[in-house]
Amino acid sequence: MQANQYNDAYWTERWKTGETQWDIGYPSTPLKEYIDQLTNKNMHILLPGAGNAWEGIYLIEQGFTNTIILDISPEPLERLKNQYNIPAKNLVHADYFEHNGQYDLILEQTFFCALDPSLRKKYVEKTHSLLKPGGKLAGVLFNAELNTDHPPFGGNQKEYEELFKPCFNMRIENCYNSIKPRQNRELFIQFAKK
């Protein structure tokens, strides 16, 4: 499948058929614990490719009202609006690469690994452009070789360092609080915009 085939129709079909194995049904522990350390409730936060956005729901419940939940498929966004009463102003149906805005923080949770690897350099550039000066990209990336013909796509620390180094000051560490199925397969990242 070509990179451009992982589009709205592809992801909407996966949501409709229940092919959402990545959805754990609650905020992932690494991101929840990171969110719990944030003190500025006025910061502008983006969750790209958020799906059911358990972390987004949690952020909004904690008073982070400037949180944008973005997805290329309208399907999970409708669920968020109807089942969790997430305000429409917090939900954006768009392609990440066409989205505009300025954010203090972009949270990474399974979006990067869902993109075709040929788009990774473009992801770094787009993420850099969406962050305010001093803004951060934080979250988890897989530290494992996964699929080569469909999402999720894996990677490793060396690859990420080479990819992000031109645009970010990087802090990468083994994720000590991954959920059980992902233990020893995730890295926690905190990348500050250069």
Side-chain angles (χ1 to χ4, degrees):
M1 191 173 265
Q2 296 177 358
N4 62 356
Q5 291 180 310
Y6 300 124
N7 57 16
D8 180 334
Y10 173 84
W11 291 108
T12 297
E13 182 63 21
R14 291 198 64 181
W15 281 104
K16 286 182 175 178
T17 59
E19 294 178 62
T20 57
Q21 301 87 346
W22 64 85
D23 188 335
I24 61 174
Y26 55 88
S28 75
T29 308
L31 268 73
K32 181 185 178 298
E33 290 184 7
Y34 179 80
I35 291 166
D36 288 344
Q37 297 173 41
L38 301 175
T39 56
N40 178 4
K41 302 280 173 124
N42 295 316
M43 67 191 317
H44 289 80
I45 302 171
L46 175 65
L47 283 85
N52 277 331
W54 302 107
E55 293 80 14
I57 295 168
Y58 184 70
L59 279 161
I60 292 168
E61 287 174 346
Q62 301 306 307
F64 292 90
T65 56
N66 294 319
T67 297
I68 297 296
I69 298 168
L70 181 142
D71 205 281
I72 197 168
S73 170
E75 192 76 15
L77 298 174
E78 280 299 313
R79 291 180 194 182
L80 287 165
K81 187 170 87 176
N82 297 331
Q83 293 177 14
Y84 299 97
N85 297 315
I86 300 296
K89 72 179 183 78
N90 298 98
L91 302 171
V92 175
H93 173 220
D95 183 319
Y96 181 69
F97 297 106
E98 295 171 12
H99 179 65
N100 294 309
Q102 286 288 280
Y103 298 94
D104 301 294
L105 175 64
I106 297 176
L107 285 180
E108 174 56 52
Q109 173 67 41
T110 70
F111 177 59
F112 180 86
C113 70
L115 294 171
D116 187 282
S118 67
L119 295 173
R120 288 184 172 180
K121 187 173 189 299
K122 188 176 177 183
Y123 169 95
V124 171
E125 293 165 355
K126 183 62 179 181
T127 300
H128 187 267
S129 75
L130 288 171
L131 287 168
K132 295 177 182 178
K136 286 186 179 176
L137 169 66
V140 291
L141 296 176
F142 277 111
N143 189 28
E145 296 307 319
L146 300 174
N147 304 304
T148 57
D149 60 342
H150 63 82
F153 300 100
N156 60 64
Q157 183 168 342
K158 184 174 186 288
E159 174 189 348
Y160 304 144
E161 288 172 349
E162 290 172 5
L163 191 60
F164 287 93
K165 188 175 182 178
C167 298
F168 293 91
N169 293 314
M170 299 178 299
R171 182 175 167 198
I172 304 177
E173 55 197 0
N174 288 322
C175 194
Y176 69 88
N177 54 358
S178 297
I179 62 169
K180 193 170 184 177
R182 299 178 186 167
Q183 283 180 351
N184 302 315
R185 297 183 345 143
E186 288 183 320
L187 299 168
F188 195 84
I189 61 166
Q190 293 184 67
F191 295 166
K193 178 176 178 171
K194 285 185 180 176

